[in-house]
Amino acid sequence: MLKQLALVAAAAGAAVVAVRRRSAGAGRGEADLWHEATNGPQAVSRPTTR
């Protein structure tokens, strides 16, 4: 019974780590898309500078 509980805990921990890694990767991708959309000659919109 204790071994099963340990296996379940390890699996849950691995799942949490996987979700965190995926979330961090998504954040970087979103920043890259924002940079691409707001800079360069093909920019959809450009931030105003003062």
Side-chain angles (χ1 to χ4, degrees), residues 12-26:
V16 169
V17 169
V19 168
R20 285 185 181 175
R21 284 185 186 165
R22 186 173 298 164
S23 295

Side-chain angles (χ1 to χ4, degrees), residues 12-39:
V16 169
V17 169
V19 168
R20 285 185 181 175
R21 284 185 186 165
R22 186 173 298 164
S23 295
R28 284 192 296 265
E30 187 174 328
D32 290 342
L33 287 173
W34 176 258
H35 185 284
E36 183 179 334
T38 57
N39 293 301

Side-chain angles (χ1 to χ4, degrees), residues 4-7 11-12 21 29-30 35 42 44 48:
Q4 288 176 341
L5 185 59
L7 285 173
R21 284 185 186 165
E30 187 174 328
H35 185 284
Q42 298 290 330
V44 175
T48 57

